[in-house]
Amino acid sequence: MAKAVRAKRQQSLQHFQPKLFHPLTENQAKVFSSFRNNHLVLHGMAGTGKSFLALYLALDELLAKKSCYDKIVIIRSVVPTRDIGFLPGSIKEKIEVYEEPYKIITDEIFGRGDAYGILKNKYQLEFITSSYLRGTTVNNCIIIVDEFQNCTFQELDTIITRVGEKSKIEI
């Protein structure tokens, strides 16, 4: 079943490939190497490309012809680091605020403004807040836990215990 899903994905996205990016610094080169060796914990100052690199490397692997993953799941805490007030709207509308960085990143990676929407509509990319993970198991996925430093201990516990079979987690 999973092989059929992957084959269908590859066929439907065969002309939808990311641009080729190379590491800009020695530390970014280490990130590329670590990802390929299944060890990826990114840390650094704001603006150094951590989210970009994590999503780029995950997309590159997901869209590879011999990928063993079904999709990318981005998990992020929505616990505010400062008081941002009440966000009106449905849960989906509230979460959109936190998805914006990934829309910008995918637009740059694919060179088109609709990349994030296409990936979500094809079930290749999913965004979940740590608040709504309970009761789920994430199998056959590349999991990106972004803004890890904002997670509470309870959120970290929830995230780690949701990682299922044949999944890779990036922190």
Side-chain angles (χ1 to χ4, degrees):
M1 174 88 173
K3 287 183 181 182
V5 170
R6 284 186 213 101
K8 189 174 182 180
R9 174 198 69 226
Q10 288 171 347
Q11 184 179 16
S12 69
L13 294 171
Q14 72 184 33
H15 299 294
F16 194 72
Q17 294 298 312
K19 294 178 182 178
L20 184 60
F21 288 91
H22 299 285
L24 299 176
T25 66
E26 186 177 322
N27 284 336
Q28 287 184 0
K30 290 176 185 176
V31 169
F32 275 68
S33 176
S34 293
F35 182 82
R36 287 181 175 53
N37 291 316
N38 293 322
H39 302 109
L40 190 58
V41 176
L42 293 170
H43 61 89
M45 296 174 33
T48 56
K50 298 177 298 294
S51 297
F52 181 92
L53 288 174
L55 188 51
Y56 171 74
L57 291 168
L59 284 164
D60 191 49
E61 183 160 344
L62 176 73
L63 297 173
K65 288 186 179 185
K66 294 186 179 183
S67 178
C68 61
Y69 300 105
D70 295 334
K71 67 180 175 179
I72 296 168
V73 176
I74 301 170
I75 301 173
R76 184 171 171 177
S77 174
V78 295
V79 175
T81 55
R82 62 189 179 283
D83 184 16
I84 59 173
F86 175 76
L87 292 173
S90 67
I91 292 170
K92 183 181 176 185
E93 291 169 326
K94 294 173 197 232
I95 290 172
E96 283 179 357
V97 171
Y98 297 95
E99 286 184 277
E100 194 60 33
Y102 313 108
K103 290 177 185 177
I104 294 167
I105 291 169
T106 54
D107 290 353
E108 186 173 344
I109 289 172
F110 291 97
R112 51 189 295 170
D114 59 351
Y116 188 80
I118 289 171
L119 291 166
K120 280 188 75 171
N121 288 334
K122 300 260 185 199
Y123 302 104
Q124 301 305 291
L125 186 62
E126 182 178 358
F127 178 86
I128 306 173
T129 69
S130 55
S131 304
Y132 297 101
L133 274 176
R134 296 198 195 293
T136 62
T137 302
V138 184
N139 293 315
N140 301 319
C141 295
I142 300 172
I143 303 164
I144 299 172
V145 183
D146 203 11
E147 299 296 335
F148 190 76
Q149 73 279 3
N150 294 333
C151 292
T152 65
F153 175 78
Q154 290 77 18
E155 287 175 310
L156 298 177
D157 183 60
T158 300
I159 292 167
I160 291 168
T161 58
R162 301 302 155 205
V163 178
E165 292 183 18
K166 299 179 184 173
S167 287
K168 175 193 280 194
I169 187 166
E170 300 178 24
I171 299 172

